Amino acid sequence: MQPPECPVSGSEARPELSILIVSYNTRDLTLACLDSIAAGARDTSFEVIVVDNVSSDGSAEAIAAHPSRPRLIASSSNIGFGRANNVAAAEAQGRLVLLLNPDTV
C-alpha cells in the first residue's frame, strides 16, 4: 500500500505544519518515517522537507521517489545536523515547524 500524497503538495495553500528531517545514510528509516507521516497526519495540512547530507546508501534517490513527494534538498557536502535543519527551516512555509528524526515512526 502506498501512502497518500501530502495534503498541500503541489498546491498554493500555506501548510499548517512544516516537517523537517535530516537524513544521513538512513534510507530505510527515512522511508518508514515518510510512510508514517503520510498515514498519520491526515487532519493537518503539511509539507515535508528532507535534507540529505550526501548519503552513500541511496537515501536521496529513494526519498525523491517516495510517493508522498517530500521536498528533497540534496546537500553537496555533509553540513551536519544543525546546519541542515537551518537550511530546511529557511525553505519551510508552514505556520509551525517540527524537527523530526528520520528514525521516528
Side-chain angles (χ1 to χ4, degrees), residues 76-101:
S76 60
S77 63
N78 187 338
I79 59 175
F81 180 76
R83 187 168 169 205
N85 274 307
N86 287 334
V87 167
E91 296 293 320
Q93 298 296 309
R95 190 177 74 79
L96 302 169
V97 173
L98 171 66
L99 305 181
L100 190 64
N101 288 337

Side-chain angles (χ1 to χ4, degrees), residues 23 25 27 31 50-66 72-75:
S23 170
N25 290 329
R27 179 184 180 273
L31 295 177
V50 181
V51 177
D52 184 71
N53 271 330
V54 195
S55 295
S56 60
D57 66 349
S59 289
E61 297 81 7
I63 292 163
H66 193 271
L72 173 66
I73 300 171
S75 181

Side-chain angles (χ1 to χ4, degrees), residues 2-88:
Q2 293 187 348
E5 185 175 314
C6 298
V8 297
S9 184
S11 74
E12 297 297 320
R14 181 178 180 193
E16 180 68 15
L17 179 64
S18 294
I19 302 170
L20 315 181
I21 302 170
V22 176
S23 170
Y24 179 68
N25 290 329
T26 56
R27 179 184 180 273
D28 293 339
L29 292 172
T30 303
L31 295 177
C33 181
L34 293 172
D35 289 342
S36 176
I37 292 167
R42 299 207 184 272
D43 296 332
T44 301
S45 63
F46 66 95
E47 66 178 344
V48 178
I49 302 171
V50 181
V51 177
D52 184 71
N53 271 330
V54 195
S55 295
S56 60
D57 66 349
S59 289
E61 297 81 7
I63 292 163
H66 193 271
S68 68
R69 297 179 51 199
R71 187 170 353 151
L72 173 66
I73 300 171
S75 181
S76 60
S77 63
N78 187 338
I79 59 175
F81 180 76
R83 187 168 169 205
N85 274 307
N86 287 334
V87 167

